[in-house]
Amino acid sequence: MFTSLVSAQLVGLALLRHVVAVEPLASLDFEELVERLAPAREIHLDRLRRE
């Protein structure tokens, strides 16, 4: 279930960043984007590891 959440988050991010070009996502550097999104993905992955 949590892998689906992570996948959905990444697909949504790709759509917002590259297709719709929503700011500030579209202009963020890759490193800054990873810094902002890593905490949310870690929460999902930590829950997955506990199962």
Side-chain angles (χ1 to χ4, degrees), residues 1-42:
M1 177 176 147
F2 294 107
T3 53
S4 297
L5 291 173
V6 172
S7 298
Q9 182 182 26
L10 293 176
V11 168
L13 170 67
L15 285 172
L16 289 174
R17 183 173 165 101
H18 298 289
V19 177
V20 184
V22 172
E23 290 297 335
L25 292 177
S27 61
L28 282 177
D29 291 335
F30 179 75
E31 291 81 15
E32 188 175 356
L33 184 64
V34 170
E35 283 180 25
R36 290 184 181 204
L37 294 177
R41 286 185 304 173
E42 285 299 316

Side-chain angles (χ1 to χ4, degrees), residues 1-3 5 43-51:
M1 177 176 147
F2 294 107
T3 53
L5 291 173
I43 290 169
H44 297 312
L45 293 175
D46 285 342
R47 289 180 185 169
L48 178 63
R49 288 183 201 126
R50 285 189 229 141
E51 289 184 352

